[in-house]
Each structure stands twice: as C-alpha cells, then as structure tokens.
Amino acid sequence: MKQFAINVISLSLLLVFFGCGNNKQTTPVVDEPVARFSIEELLDPTINPDISIVNKKDVRAFYQSKDFTPVWSMQDSLLAEADSLIQFIYNSPFYGLFPDTYHAREIKAALESKKADQLIALDVLLTDSFISLWEHLKYGRKNPAHAKDSLEDVPIENAIRENNVVRYLKSREPQNEEYKYLKAFLSGMLHKREHDHVVVIADTIQTLFSNLERWRWDAPFPDRYIFVNVPSYTMKVIDKNENVLESKVIVGKPETPTHRITSLIERFTIYPYWHIPRKIAVGEMLPVIQKDTSYIRKNNLDVLDRNGNLLKPSQVKWKTFHEDYFPVILRQREGADNSLGVIKFQFKNPYAIYLHDTNAKRLFREDYRALSHGCVRVEKARDLAYYLVQDDSILCTPDDLTQYLEIKHRMDIDIVNPISIFIRYFTAEANADTLKIYEDLYKMDGEN
C-alpha cells in the first residue's frame, strides 16, 4: 500500500499549475457600441458564430424567457456579479475543477476585446458556465448515474439579483468532512524549489481532483452504513458518525475489479456454499479437472446439472467440455475450507459480488491485497456478523449466532435492521492533519 503524508502549506502555485492565474477582472471598455449580432442570433445554430456553448438547449431557453436580453451586463458594462463569476471560474482548481471547462480562455479573450459583440458573447458564456458549475459542484463532471437538473432549478437570476453568485455555487458542494479535508489539502498543495524552479506534485493534484469528483457522485450517507474503500483495502462500519468496526479487506484484481456498488445487506449466510462463477469454473478449474479429476474431491466440489441435481464426477465427460460447452455447475461445499470461509453477506448488485469470510487468512498480512475475482473478503467477517445481530432479540441474538457457528450447518440469517453498504474507489483520504494517497489499482484517476 502506497501512502504518505503531506502537510498543508501555501496555495500560491495551484492556479499557476493549471494556467489560470488569479487576475482581477476589469469591466470591459467598449469602443464599438453597436454589436454585430444579438443574443438571439448568437444562439441561432443557422448563424453559428464562433462560440461554443455546452448547455445549448438550456441557455437558449433561459434567454428566450428573458426576451434575449443580457443578464450579466447593463448597457456597456459588466455587473459586479459577472466579475464574481469570472473570478470563481479562474479559481475553480481550488474546487477540483478545470477553468477551461467553463470557457476561461474565451472569457479572457472577450474581456480583452473592445467590441460590443464580445460583451454579448461574454454574457452567454457566463450563463453557460453558471449552469455547468451548478451541476458539477453538486453532482460531478462525470457522474455515471446523474440525470441533469431542470433549468428551472438553476437560480441564475436569484444569484445575480442577490449579489451572491459565489454563495449560491458554494452551497452545491458536498458537506461531508472528508471532502472538506481533501479540498483543504488541494488548496495548500505542497511545492518546493529546486535550482530556482518550482516543482509541483502533479500526480497528487490529479489524485485530489479525481477524489473530489467522486465525492460529488454521492448523496449524504445514512446514519448507519458499511463503507468499503477499494484502494485502501479497508471496510468500516459507521454508526452516527462513529467508526464502530474496521477491518482489512481483499478486493478484486485489476483484471477482475470490485465495482462501485450501493446496496443493502438484509441477510447473511453461515457455512455457505460457493456456487463457482462460470468464468472461473471454465477458465481456471476445467483445465485442471481435465488433467486430474481428483481436483474435485480435494476441493470439496459438487457437480450439478442445470436443474441443480447432483452428478457423479466420474460419469461426467470432462474431455468434451470447453468454453462454449460447459453444461454443469460447480459448487463448493460448506465448511472451514470453503473459499467463502464461514460467513457470506448478500446484497443485490448486478455483478454477483458479496462480502465474505475466507479460508486464506494469511493474505490479510500482505500489503497488496487486490487478489480476488471481484468479491470483497473481510478479515473480521465474524465481528461484522455479531455487530449486525447485536440488537436482535427476535430472529438471531449474538448467543444464537455463537451456537449456530458451533453447529457448523449452513443457515440463512435475516437481519432485523438491514444496513446500507457502499463500495467506493477513493485513492485519497484525509483528516485535519494527514493526507493518505493509495495506489490507483484500476488506473481510474486519470478518467475523472
């Protein structure tokens, strides 16, 4: 596990790194007071002037509701709130965002122009940028699950009228402590001088950008939940903001990753079967079985037909099986030698992933623990099971669970108080004093 601490220091070079600077805006002086085109013409795709609008439909609908009159300027001057928005755009790296996403270069060019049509273009660019910032600060730039807000929910006019564009935008940020600490470290990003040159830790900045982005993908978590962070190989149980249980975990290999999942654990199984996924059965086990059928006995495997009926391994024509023809199901019997260990926690998800114990506990001593086929192996699986039944006086008390584990029979146990589970991918974690950076196991940081 790669992790290190970075002390919070100066923020002076963050903007320079992203080429956005920290220039104070000035109200443009218009030498040519007559614009060549109106806002309506500017937004007409048949005229198509040299302007790039991201939220084309919303921007046009907004100005249509305003009879295509400017909102960020009056006569030949920018309003103060336009200056505030422009500064926010230039300062957007402090929020883990990229200025050019919000027309930073086009805005700069428009500000340097002395033509009235550039003031018209600037008005449209600012509206487009506000809409994008409104979305990105709350939901992220690349949220895989978010549907865009309605234009009616974007308070452009209110923000301008109340002279508080920045407050409106900041109100969209996540409010959890982890996000705030990561943002603080980004603002104070480490730098040093070598041979009179400033060296910025670009990889760490990229990591922080990616992790701030991922925090925006989540709504506030409930009071009680299980949180698995894949890159840190940890599982935590959080109850009313308190970490009541923490465990090492083993996660999916890069070629079989553990996916981002939000679900609910409603039951767990003690001494479970392991129904071996077809990909593993065909790709890994079949070649071994074809060489030596004793592998089936040595690994406590059952062979089932497609209807779930037990077959005698000696009567199966293994040599005829291949990737496209595998008409059986392999199931590992329950017991301490089962690959799932003695406890499996089920929750709905499209990847057939679950949390479970393991019979290979030595692997928890390894630093690199991306070793599974996608499921999450939990070192303290028994502790988690006891936690889930601690308040249960109806279905299964802790004493009941102890007896069931001693009996060593397969059993499904329903949980009286189901618990949410969040499997996430954060390569950076922070508190007030320390920033930890973890290996980007699945090479996802560059994607955000």
Side-chain angles (χ1 to χ4, degrees):
M1 186 188 308
K2 179 182 71 176
Q3 51 178 268
F4 55 91
I6 297 177
N7 294 325
V8 178
I9 57 171
S10 147
L11 52 79
S12 61
L13 294 174
L14 184 59
L15 298 183
V16 175
F17 175 76
F18 284 98
C20 57
N22 191 23
N23 302 318
K24 179 63 181 174
Q25 298 306 312
T26 57
T27 302
V29 177
V30 176
D31 286 350
E32 299 180 11
V34 179
R36 293 175 298 167
F37 44 78
S38 65
I39 289 180
E40 184 173 14
E41 291 171 327
L42 185 69
L43 295 172
D44 188 335
T46 61
I47 297 176
N48 194 26
D50 187 21
I51 188 170
S52 175
I53 301 300
V54 177
N55 307 283
K56 294 179 181 179
K57 183 179 178 181
D58 285 343
V59 170
R60 181 171 179 81
F62 172 76
Y63 280 107
Q64 189 169 17
S65 71
K66 302 295 296 178
D67 294 326
F68 295 100
T69 58
V71 295
W72 299 98
S73 60
M74 184 176 295
Q75 295 178 347
D76 298 334
S77 302
L78 282 179
L79 298 177
E81 285 310 296
D83 277 343
S84 295
L85 179 56
I86 291 167
Q87 283 298 308
F88 193 96
I89 291 168
Y90 284 180
N91 291 335
S92 59
F94 285 119
Y95 301 84
L97 300 172
F98 299 95
D100 277 349
T101 304
Y102 314 103
H103 306 295
R105 296 185 188 185
E106 296 163 278
I107 288 170
K108 185 175 184 295
L111 288 168
E112 292 173 351
S113 171
K114 298 182 181 298
K115 298 179 180 179
D117 56 359
Q118 289 302 307
L119 191 60
I120 293 294
L122 181 60
D123 206 280
V124 173
L125 290 171
L126 292 176
T127 295
D128 190 39
S129 297
F130 187 96
I131 294 172
S132 292
L133 284 164
W134 185 255
E135 289 289 313
H136 295 171
L137 284 164
K138 186 173 179 66
Y139 302 114
R141 296 178 299 108
K142 297 184 178 181
N143 191 331
H146 173 60
K148 199 172 186 298
D149 276 358
S150 166
L151 178 62
E152 296 177 357
D153 298 323
V154 184
I156 300 173
E157 291 181 85
N158 290 347
I160 295 172
R161 183 173 59 251
E162 297 173 19
N163 295 321
N164 226 325
V165 165
V166 173
R167 180 179 65 81
Y168 268 87
L169 291 176
K170 284 186 174 181
S171 72
R172 301 286 282 176
E173 292 186 274
Q175 297 303 306
N176 65 72
E177 292 298 312
E178 184 74 18
Y179 174 90
K180 293 176 182 178
Y181 288 134
L182 289 175
K183 186 181 169 188
F185 272 98
L186 177 60
S187 295
M189 182 47 55
L190 176 63
H191 70 279
K192 61 182 178 179
R193 295 184 181 275
E194 291 182 358
H195 308 297
D196 297 323
H197 293 285
V198 176
V199 178
V200 182
I201 303 179
D203 287 347
T204 304
I205 292 177
Q206 174 63 66
T207 296
L208 292 173
F209 268 52
S210 295
N211 285 272
L212 289 171
E213 164 73 8
R214 292 183 192 119
W215 275 114
R216 296 185 182 109
W217 296 354
D218 277 309
F221 292 149
D223 287 342
R224 178 174 170 269
Y225 59 93
I226 294 171
F227 188 88
V228 175
N229 185 24
V230 172
S232 69
Y233 307 121
T234 56
M235 180 209 74
K236 297 178 181 180
V237 179
I238 306 299
D239 196 337
K240 295 182 175 62
N241 294 320
E242 181 182 354
N243 183 4
V244 297
L245 176 63
E246 184 166 347
S247 174
K248 294 179 179 180
V249 299
I250 292 167
V251 300
K253 296 177 286 190
E255 58 268 31
T256 54
T258 298
H259 295 276
R260 184 179 191 271
I261 292 172
T262 300
S263 192
L264 186 71
I265 296 180
E266 299 180 278
R267 65 167 49 186
F268 61 89
T269 302
I270 59 174
Y271 293 97
Y273 289 136
W274 180 34
H275 289 84
I276 298 159
R278 188 181 189 280
K279 185 175 181 180
I280 298 174
V282 174
E284 299 180 23
M285 293 185 172
L286 178 59
V288 180
I289 293 171
Q290 288 176 328
K291 292 179 181 178
D292 182 6
T293 56
S294 68
Y295 175 88
I296 297 171
R297 173 181 52 80
K298 292 176 181 176
N299 288 276
N300 296 320
L301 299 179
D302 289 330
V303 183
L304 312 175
D305 65 19
R306 290 172 178 171
N307 295 317
N309 300 310
L310 277 171
L311 302 175
K312 291 184 177 180
S314 60
Q315 296 178 352
V316 176
K317 298 180 180 179
W318 297 105
K319 295 294 185 182
T320 66
F321 290 6
H322 51 78
E323 183 177 357
D324 298 322
Y325 178 71
F326 192 80
V328 299
I329 298 167
L330 297 183
R331 180 184 70 187
Q332 190 174 39
R333 292 187 290 276
E334 71 271 26
D337 293 332
N338 187 289
S339 294
L340 302 185
V342 298
I343 303 177
K344 177 179 75 171
F345 303 90
Q346 297 113 292
F347 46 92
K348 293 179 180 178
N349 68 87
Y351 311 107
I353 284 175
Y354 31 83
L355 268 60
H356 64 85
D357 186 23
T358 179
N359 62 347
K361 298 188 185 298
R362 69 188 184 282
L363 296 177
F364 290 111
R365 295 195 294 268
E366 302 294 329
D367 289 335
Y368 183 87
R369 297 199 294 277
L371 304 169
S372 81
H373 289 89
C375 286
V376 178
R377 306 175 196 171
V378 181
E379 184 179 36
K380 296 182 180 178
R382 290 189 183 224
D383 292 350
L384 178 58
Y386 276 105
Y387 169 80
L388 293 177
V389 300
Q390 67 179 354
D391 297 323
D392 190 347
S393 60
I394 301 172
L395 300 178
C396 177
T397 67
D399 288 341
D400 293 334
L401 179 57
T402 298
Q403 292 183 18
Y404 297 152
L405 288 169
E406 290 174 353
I407 293 172
K408 298 183 179 180
H409 286 172
R410 188 170 62 87
M411 181 180 298
D412 291 329
I413 297 177
D414 292 325
I415 301 170
V416 171
N417 299 307
I419 187 169
S420 297
I421 178 169
F422 301 90
I423 299 179
R424 294 294 186 262
Y425 190 89
F426 288 101
T427 53
E429 293 180 331
N431 57 31
D433 303 312
T434 306
L435 172 65
K436 293 181 180 180
I437 302 294
Y438 303 107
E439 183 177 355
D440 184 9
L441 299 172
Y442 305 153
K443 308 304 178 190
M444 296 178 68
D445 280 353
E447 298 177 5
N448 303 132

